[in-house]
Amino acid sequence: MHPQARDTASPYHETELSGPTLRRETLLVLALSLGASAVSSLISFTGSLTEPGGLADQAAQLNSSQAPDRPWLDLAWQLFGIATALVPVALVAHLLAREGAGGLRAVGLDLRRPGFDLGRGTGVAAVIGGTGLLLYLGAQAAGFSLTVVPENLPEVWWKIPVLIASAVQNSVVEEVIVLGYLLRRLDQSGWTPLAALAASAGLRGSYHLYQGIGGFIGNMVMGVLFVLLYRRWGRIGPLVAAHALIDIVAFVGYALLAGKVSWLPTA
């Protein structure tokens, strides 16, 4: 093989992407993932606003049974949903690898610093989790939020493992796409740090709008904090850990406490 042909054949060198290519790619990734979720959430919220009664009288169901009274079929659907939700993350990893950036390592999702990621993530989760719960309870009592039902699965052996897997899936999808990938592409497109922060936090709030105004505002605030921490640490690993811990406590905690404590709203 001619030396020049060998040098030009490899696609795995650092690649400079044009502005139009960056915009098209970003829009396509969002359309296959959280951008579509944002549109769906807006439609859902519009429906809730036009429904008779207040928002607090309605429920937003998460992790619901797909085949009641058929636990093995239900488990298959749950695992299928978790796996297919991760496909956009695989797409992002492929795009970053093809770019020559090293896949998800480029946004700090790897095993290089597990202690740092888990330690910082636990601290962030403790602060945001408690504050978020208080905000949700206040918004729900004031009528600005639907009653969020984190899980409605049957009492079967796989319930808790599926809830944990769902929480991890949520955290990986959201932080890889709305934090690591989106900020990288907006930076490459010449957006200012403030504009990129607003876009990332606004998108995070918008796909939680199905929960009501409280969910929208609370997740926007969380999005601002996560962007600032990501800029400081240069890794999404701690924020994936924090998000996963927050959702695990919410999902599993609801499964254990719903109907047993008076302060936790139930549908």
Side-chain angles (χ1 to χ4, degrees), residues 13 17 55 253 265:
H13 57 278
L17 300 176
L55 292 178

Side-chain angles (χ1 to χ4, degrees), residues 59-69 74 78 147-156 158-160 162-163 166 250-256 258 266-267:
Q61 301 275 351
L62 309 177
N63 298 304
S64 296
S65 176
Q66 301 299 311
D69 303 321
D74 201 351
Q78 299 296 332
T147 299
V148 178
V149 180
E151 69 86 20
N152 187 26
L153 295 175
E155 295 298 329
V156 290
W158 48 259
K159 177 176 181 173
I160 300 300
V162 162
L163 290 175
S166 177
F251 295 170
V252 177
Y254 186 90
L256 297 176
T266 56

Side-chain angles (χ1 to χ4, degrees), residues 63 82 153 158-171 243-245 247-249 251-253:
N63 298 304
I82 291 169
L153 295 175
W158 48 259
K159 177 176 181 173
I160 300 300
V162 162
L163 290 175
I164 293 172
S166 177
V168 173
Q169 170 249 297
N170 287 343
S171 65
H243 193 152
L245 289 171
D247 280 5
I248 288 170
V249 170
F251 295 170
V252 177

Side-chain angles (χ1 to χ4, degrees), residues 90-171:
L91 174 60
V92 166
H94 166 74
L95 292 171
L96 293 176
R98 190 177 63 175
E99 179 187 339
L104 295 180
R105 185 172 183 174
V107 297
L109 185 62
D110 51 42
L111 297 177
R112 286 179 295 171
R113 304 180 67 185
F116 176 88
D117 293 345
L118 187 57
R120 296 295 175 92
T122 301
V124 173
V127 173
I128 291 184
T131 305
L133 177 60
L134 292 176
L135 177 62
Y136 162 66
L137 293 175
Q140 204 273 343
F144 296 134
S145 176
L146 285 76
T147 299
V148 178
V149 180
E151 69 86 20
N152 187 26
L153 295 175
E155 295 298 329
V156 290
W157 64 268
W158 48 259
K159 177 176 181 173
I160 300 300
V162 162
L163 290 175
I164 293 172
S166 177
V168 173
Q169 170 249 297
N170 287 343
S171 65

Side-chain angles (χ1 to χ4, degrees), residues 50 222 236 265:
T50 55
M222 174 178 165
I236 66 168

